[in-house]
Amino acid sequence: DLTLLAAIIYCEAGNQPWDGKVAVGAVVLNRVASSSFPDTIYDVIYQSGQFTPASNGSLASALANGVPDECVQAAQAALNGENPVGGALYFNTGSGQGMVIGDHQFY
């Protein structure tokens, strides 16, 4: 779970500040906890139509090649309960809604 979460953080927020990295991890974990989404990190990340890196090959590449330590640390922080976005289940760029961290909006 740690490696997969770190890889999706890298793909989605590798160029974002620390809080943005942890926030992506928190969204994944919020989804795991929600009855509206699958109940494992793997199933949340690979749910059809949800995380582009899971379907376009960039997640597989990150898993094969490794990710920066900061992304692993952010994943561990999220797994340890750090959550800068409350109950947010989604994030994107440019939606104009939700909490802004770096280049993403979390809602």
Side-chain angles (χ1 to χ4, degrees):
D1 282 352
L2 176 64
T3 301
L4 182 57
L5 191 59
I8 198 68
I9 288 169
Y10 173 66
C11 291
E12 294 282 8
N15 64 345
Q16 296 301 301
W18 171 258
D19 281 351
K21 290 177 175 70
V22 176
V24 167
V27 165
V28 171
L29 296 175
N30 286 347
R31 288 184 178 197
V32 170
S34 169
S35 62
S36 300
F37 292 92
D39 60 1
T40 69
I41 290 172
Y42 179 93
D43 289 341
V44 162
I45 290 172
Y46 287 101
Q47 185 178 21
S48 180
Q50 295 301 307
F51 290 93
T52 302
S55 60
N56 72 8
S58 59
L59 181 60
S61 178
L63 288 167
N65 297 311
V67 300
D69 286 344
E70 186 177 37
C71 294
V72 176
Q73 293 163 3
Q76 188 63 63
L79 287 166
N80 290 345
E82 191 171 327
N83 181 341
V85 293
L89 295 171
Y90 301 94
F91 67 93
N92 60 31
T93 58
S95 70
Q97 60 181 325
M99 175 188 303
V100 175
I101 300 176
D103 295 331
H104 292 126
Q105 285 93 34
F106 295 84
Y107 56 98

